[in-house]
Every structure is written in structure tokens, then in C-alpha cells.
Amino acid sequence: MTSNEFPIIYDQKSGNALWIDLRQLNLRYQIPVGKIGKFFEGLKQDKVLATKCPKCEEIYFPPQDDCPKCKISGLEWIEMPEEGELLSYSVINVKPPSFSHYPDYVVGIAKMKNGVNVLAWIKSKDLKIGMKVKLKVVKREPEGYLTYELGD
């Protein structure tokens, strides 16, 4: 393979062939959040909220306003439990461009006390499947916005 035939370079450290796409993708999007605005208000109060269907009692996280099972809207708001158990995690080395300014980070899935699985960044030094984690509100820097993460 030569550079004239394919956009491939070879990593100097590993010798691995890397495809370098010459196209640039910039993606900006808007997501309507009016029906779940209470979720963001909850973060301001240091609470992570979910929604629960009053008919089938299914809990939705991230929250949504419509139950796909019962076909009803206007679900109830509940606070997510703080305690959970780590089911899986992955260290992110290759990041999307919008996260490239962060050092490598970890995302994981935890089963919370109410049975709901939560996907989030994890802040912990020693990660082990089955370990106890806590769901908490944090301020993500350098952007300065509120979000949630799992930690010790």
C-alpha cells in the first residue's frame, strides 16, 4: 500500500496501519427538551431525576415524557437512587472530536438500587465489576455545565 492508493499512514510506535479520513465532519444539533426540563432543574438541586409510568410503573432513565408500553404522556418524576453496582466499563482512548480536549476517560453502566441501568462517566481509581458506585451531580469542566457521573 502506498499513500497514493489509500489514505493510510503507519503508526511510528506500533507499526499499525491507520486509515486517515480526509473528510472533516462537523455536527451541531439541537434536541428539544421542554418536556423533560424538570430533569435539568433537578441537576441544579443536586438531584438526578427519572420518570415513571403511573400505569405500568416502568422507570425511564434518561427521562422521557411518554411511555412506549402504555402509550400515555405526562409521566411522574422520581429521584434516582444514589447507590448502584458497576456492571461494565470501558476506558475511552480514542475520543470523538468534541471530547478530544479531555484526557482518557472511563464510561460504565451501573445497575441502580431501583433496577435501572445508568450509563455515565466514572470517576474512580480502582475499577472492578460488581463494585459499589454512587450516582452524583457534577460540574463538567471546562464547559462548566451540570451533568451526572458514577463514582466512589
Side-chain angles (χ1 to χ4, degrees), residues 4-15:
N4 293 337
E5 296 169 341
F6 300 101
I8 294 177
I9 64 168
Y10 292 90
D11 183 67
Q12 293 177 351
K13 188 174 181 181
S14 67

Side-chain angles (χ1 to χ4, degrees), residues 7-152:
I8 294 177
I9 64 168
Y10 292 90
D11 183 67
Q12 293 177 351
K13 188 174 181 181
S14 67
N16 290 334
L18 302 172
W19 181 279
I20 304 296
D21 199 322
L22 301 175
R23 299 168 292 172
Q24 186 175 22
L25 175 65
N26 290 318
L27 178 64
R28 292 191 70 93
Y29 54 90
Q30 296 177 346
I31 300 172
V33 294
K35 289 185 174 184
I36 58 161
K38 191 167 181 173
F39 172 76
F40 301 101
E41 292 302 316
L43 291 177
K44 288 181 186 178
Q45 298 171 12
D46 205 33
K47 297 178 182 178
V48 180
L49 301 178
T51 51
K52 181 177 179 179
C53 177
K55 187 173 180 183
C56 71
E57 299 190 350
E58 187 73 27
I59 298 171
Y60 295 100
F61 186 83
Q64 58 189 51
D65 190 53
D66 305 306
C67 179
K69 293 179 181 178
C70 300
K71 310 292 188 233
I72 63 172
S73 298
L75 306 186
E76 299 170 356
W77 287 93
I78 62 167
E79 188 171 349
M80 286 292 289
E82 186 178 275
E83 299 84 22
E85 181 179 320
L86 188 61
L87 300 176
S88 179
Y89 68 90
S90 181
V91 178
I92 307 299
N93 308 98
V94 179
K95 301 171 255 318
S98 59
F99 289 91
S100 63
H101 61 288
Y102 292 111
D104 292 352
Y105 54 92
V106 180
V107 294
I109 299 171
K111 181 177 283 295
M112 306 312 290
K113 291 276 185 180
N114 62 358
V116 174
N117 290 345
V118 171
L119 171 69
W121 284 29
I122 303 175
K123 297 290 180 163
S124 178
K125 294 180 184 190
D126 298 313
L127 293 171
K128 293 178 185 156
I129 301 301
M131 70 183 277
K132 301 300 179 198
V133 292
K134 291 189 176 188
L135 180 63
K136 55 189 171 184
V137 176
V138 296
K139 186 177 274 195
R140 180 74 42 84
E141 298 297 348
E143 293 86 358
Y145 60 78
L146 293 175
T147 187
Y148 55 90
E149 70 183 21
L150 299 165
D152 295 340

